[in-house]
Short mmCIF file of all heavy atoms in Angstrom, two decimals:
data_model
loop_
_atom_site.label_atom_id
_atom_site.label_comp_id
_atom_site.label_asym_id
_atom_site.label_seq_id
_atom_site.Cartn_x
_atom_site.Cartn_y
_atom_site.Cartn_z
N SER A 30 -204.81 -77.18 34.21
CA SER A 30 -205.29 -75.87 34.68
C SER A 30 -206.51 -75.97 35.58
O SER A 30 -207.12 -74.95 35.91
CB SER A 30 -205.63 -74.98 33.47
OG SER A 30 -204.49 -74.76 32.65
N THR A 31 -206.87 -77.19 35.99
CA THR A 31 -208.04 -77.39 36.86
C THR A 31 -207.67 -77.15 38.31
O THR A 31 -206.73 -77.76 38.83
CB THR A 31 -208.60 -78.81 36.70
OG1 THR A 31 -208.94 -79.04 35.33
CG2 THR A 31 -209.83 -79.01 37.56
N ASN A 32 -208.39 -76.25 38.96
CA ASN A 32 -208.08 -75.91 40.35
C ASN A 32 -208.18 -77.12 41.27
O ASN A 32 -209.17 -77.85 41.25
CB ASN A 32 -209.04 -74.82 40.85
CG ASN A 32 -208.83 -73.50 40.15
OD1 ASN A 32 -207.70 -73.07 39.95
ND2 ASN A 32 -209.91 -72.83 39.77
N GLY A 33 -207.14 -77.33 42.08
CA GLY A 33 -207.15 -78.39 43.07
C GLY A 33 -207.06 -79.80 42.52
O GLY A 33 -207.24 -80.76 43.28
N THR A 74 -205.78 -64.40 43.77
CA THR A 74 -206.86 -63.88 42.92
C THR A 74 -207.48 -62.62 43.52
O THR A 74 -208.00 -61.78 42.79
CB THR A 74 -207.96 -64.94 42.74
OG1 THR A 74 -208.59 -65.20 44.01
CG2 THR A 74 -207.39 -66.23 42.19
N ARG A 76 -210.19 -62.50 45.07
CA ARG A 76 -211.65 -62.67 45.06
C ARG A 76 -212.09 -63.22 46.42
O ARG A 76 -211.52 -64.19 46.92
CB ARG A 76 -212.04 -63.61 43.93
CG ARG A 76 -213.53 -63.87 43.76
CD ARG A 76 -213.79 -64.64 42.48
NE ARG A 76 -215.18 -65.07 42.36
CZ ARG A 76 -215.63 -66.26 42.73
NH1 ARG A 76 -214.79 -67.15 43.25
NH2 ARG A 76 -216.90 -66.57 42.59
N LEU A 78 -214.59 -64.98 47.29
CA LEU A 78 -215.14 -66.33 47.28
C LEU A 78 -214.10 -67.39 46.90
O LEU A 78 -214.44 -68.57 46.83
CB LEU A 78 -216.33 -66.41 46.32
CG LEU A 78 -217.66 -65.85 46.85
CD1 LEU A 78 -218.70 -65.82 45.74
CD2 LEU A 78 -218.17 -66.67 48.03
N ASP A 79 -212.87 -66.97 46.66
CA ASP A 79 -211.81 -67.92 46.35
C ASP A 79 -211.06 -68.26 47.63
O ASP A 79 -210.61 -67.38 48.36
CB ASP A 79 -210.83 -67.34 45.33
CG ASP A 79 -211.42 -67.31 43.92
OD1 ASP A 79 -212.42 -68.02 43.69
OD2 ASP A 79 -210.87 -66.58 43.08
N VAL A 80 -210.94 -69.56 47.90
CA VAL A 80 -210.22 -70.02 49.09
C VAL A 80 -209.30 -71.18 48.71
O VAL A 80 -209.58 -71.94 47.78
CB VAL A 80 -211.18 -70.47 50.21
CG1 VAL A 80 -211.97 -69.30 50.75
CG2 VAL A 80 -212.11 -71.58 49.73
N ALA A 81 -208.20 -71.28 49.42
CA ALA A 81 -207.27 -72.39 49.23
C ALA A 81 -206.93 -72.97 50.60
O ALA A 81 -206.82 -72.23 51.58
CB ALA A 81 -205.99 -71.91 48.54
N ILE A 88 -212.09 -79.77 51.45
CA ILE A 88 -213.40 -79.13 51.58
C ILE A 88 -214.47 -80.18 51.30
O ILE A 88 -214.41 -80.88 50.27
CB ILE A 88 -213.54 -77.96 50.59
CG1 ILE A 88 -212.49 -76.88 50.88
CG2 ILE A 88 -214.94 -77.37 50.65
CD1 ILE A 88 -212.45 -75.78 49.82
N THR A 100 -212.90 -82.13 48.04
CA THR A 100 -212.19 -81.47 46.95
C THR A 100 -211.22 -80.44 47.52
O THR A 100 -211.37 -79.99 48.67
CB THR A 100 -213.19 -80.78 45.99
OG1 THR A 100 -212.47 -80.19 44.90
CG2 THR A 100 -213.97 -79.70 46.71
N ARG A 101 -210.25 -80.05 46.69
CA ARG A 101 -209.33 -78.97 47.04
C ARG A 101 -209.62 -77.72 46.20
O ARG A 101 -208.98 -76.70 46.36
CB ARG A 101 -207.90 -79.42 46.79
CG ARG A 101 -207.42 -80.57 47.63
CD ARG A 101 -206.86 -80.17 48.96
NE ARG A 101 -205.66 -79.36 48.86
CZ ARG A 101 -204.84 -79.11 49.87
NH1 ARG A 101 -205.09 -79.64 51.07
NH2 ARG A 101 -203.78 -78.36 49.73
N ALA A 102 -210.60 -77.84 45.31
CA ALA A 102 -210.95 -76.70 44.45
C ALA A 102 -211.76 -75.69 45.24
O ALA A 102 -212.89 -75.96 45.63
CB ALA A 102 -211.73 -77.20 43.23
N GLY A 103 -211.19 -74.52 45.46
CA GLY A 103 -211.86 -73.51 46.29
C GLY A 103 -212.42 -72.34 45.51
O GLY A 103 -212.69 -71.28 46.10
N ASN A 104 -212.65 -72.50 44.21
CA ASN A 104 -213.27 -71.43 43.41
C ASN A 104 -214.78 -71.48 43.61
O ASN A 104 -215.51 -72.03 42.80
CB ASN A 104 -212.88 -71.57 41.94
CG ASN A 104 -213.14 -72.96 41.39
OD1 ASN A 104 -213.11 -73.95 42.11
ND2 ASN A 104 -213.40 -73.03 40.10
N LEU A 105 -215.23 -70.88 44.71
CA LEU A 105 -216.63 -70.98 45.10
C LEU A 105 -217.49 -69.94 44.39
O LEU A 105 -217.00 -68.92 43.90
CB LEU A 105 -216.75 -70.81 46.63
CG LEU A 105 -215.87 -71.74 47.47
CD1 LEU A 105 -216.11 -71.49 48.96
CD2 LEU A 105 -216.11 -73.20 47.12
N GLN A 106 -218.78 -70.21 44.37
CA GLN A 106 -219.75 -69.30 43.77
C GLN A 106 -221.08 -69.47 44.51
O GLN A 106 -221.30 -70.45 45.21
CB GLN A 106 -219.94 -69.62 42.29
CG GLN A 106 -220.38 -71.05 42.03
CD GLN A 106 -220.50 -71.38 40.56
OE1 GLN A 106 -220.73 -70.50 39.74
NE2 GLN A 106 -220.35 -72.65 40.21
N VAL A 107 -221.93 -68.48 44.36
CA VAL A 107 -223.26 -68.51 45.00
C VAL A 107 -224.31 -68.59 43.91
O VAL A 107 -224.33 -67.78 42.97
CB VAL A 107 -223.48 -67.26 45.88
CG1 VAL A 107 -224.87 -67.32 46.53
CG2 VAL A 107 -222.40 -67.16 46.95
N LEU A 113 -224.21 -72.16 48.26
CA LEU A 113 -222.77 -72.04 48.04
C LEU A 113 -222.28 -73.26 47.28
O LEU A 113 -222.44 -74.40 47.74
CB LEU A 113 -222.03 -71.91 49.37
CG LEU A 113 -220.53 -71.60 49.30
CD1 LEU A 113 -220.29 -70.24 48.66
CD2 LEU A 113 -219.89 -71.65 50.69
N LEU A 114 -221.68 -73.05 46.11
CA LEU A 114 -221.26 -74.13 45.23
C LEU A 114 -219.78 -74.00 44.89
O LEU A 114 -219.20 -72.92 44.99
CB LEU A 114 -222.06 -74.11 43.92
CG LEU A 114 -223.59 -74.05 44.01
CD1 LEU A 114 -224.17 -73.86 42.61
CD2 LEU A 114 -224.15 -75.31 44.65
N THR A 115 -219.19 -75.12 44.49
CA THR A 115 -217.84 -75.07 43.94
C THR A 115 -217.94 -74.62 42.48
O THR A 115 -219.03 -74.53 41.92
CB THR A 115 -217.17 -76.45 44.00
OG1 THR A 115 -217.90 -77.37 43.15
CG2 THR A 115 -217.16 -76.99 45.43
N GLY A 116 -216.79 -74.39 41.87
CA GLY A 116 -216.81 -73.98 40.47
C GLY A 116 -217.41 -75.04 39.56
O GLY A 116 -217.95 -74.72 38.50
N ALA A 117 -217.35 -76.31 39.99
CA ALA A 117 -217.93 -77.41 39.21
C ALA A 117 -219.40 -77.62 39.51
O ALA A 117 -220.03 -78.51 38.93
CB ALA A 117 -217.15 -78.70 39.48
N GLY A 118 -219.96 -76.82 40.42
CA GLY A 118 -221.39 -76.91 40.72
C GLY A 118 -221.76 -77.84 41.86
O GLY A 118 -222.95 -78.13 42.05
N HIS A 119 -220.80 -78.29 42.65
CA HIS A 119 -221.10 -79.17 43.77
C HIS A 119 -221.41 -78.34 45.03
O HIS A 119 -220.62 -77.46 45.39
CB HIS A 119 -219.93 -80.11 44.07
CG HIS A 119 -219.54 -80.97 42.91
ND1 HIS A 119 -220.35 -81.97 42.41
CD2 HIS A 119 -218.43 -80.98 42.13
CE1 HIS A 119 -219.77 -82.56 41.39
NE2 HIS A 119 -218.60 -81.98 41.20
N VAL A 121 -221.44 -76.97 48.66
CA VAL A 121 -220.47 -77.04 49.75
C VAL A 121 -221.20 -77.43 51.04
O VAL A 121 -222.28 -76.91 51.33
CB VAL A 121 -219.76 -75.69 49.92
CG1 VAL A 121 -218.81 -75.72 51.12
CG2 VAL A 121 -218.99 -75.34 48.65
N MET A 201 -207.19 -66.72 47.41
CA MET A 201 -206.20 -67.51 46.69
C MET A 201 -206.83 -68.81 46.22
O MET A 201 -207.84 -69.27 46.77
CB MET A 201 -204.98 -67.81 47.58
CG MET A 201 -204.28 -66.59 48.12
SD MET A 201 -202.72 -66.98 48.96
CE MET A 201 -201.65 -67.29 47.56
N LEU A 202 -206.24 -69.42 45.20
CA LEU A 202 -206.68 -70.71 44.68
C LEU A 202 -205.49 -71.63 44.54
O LEU A 202 -204.38 -71.19 44.22
CB LEU A 202 -207.36 -70.55 43.32
CG LEU A 202 -208.76 -69.93 43.29
CD1 LEU A 202 -209.22 -69.75 41.85
CD2 LEU A 202 -209.75 -70.79 44.06
N GLU A 203 -205.74 -72.92 44.77
CA GLU A 203 -204.69 -73.91 44.56
C GLU A 203 -204.80 -74.45 43.14
O GLU A 203 -205.89 -74.84 42.69
CB GLU A 203 -204.83 -75.06 45.55
CG GLU A 203 -203.78 -76.15 45.37
CD GLU A 203 -203.96 -77.31 46.32
OE1 GLU A 203 -204.84 -77.24 47.19
OE2 GLU A 203 -203.22 -78.31 46.17
#
Side-chain angles (χ1 to χ4, degrees):
S30 299
T31 302
N32 293 317
T74 65
R76 182 172 173 265
L78 281 172
D79 286 343
V80 293
I88 298 172
T100 183
R101 296 274 296 195
N104 51 332
L105 307 181
Q106 58 183 333
V107 180
L113 187 64
L114 309 173
T115 65
H119 302 293
V121 176
M201 302 188 76
L202 287 175
E203 179 183 355

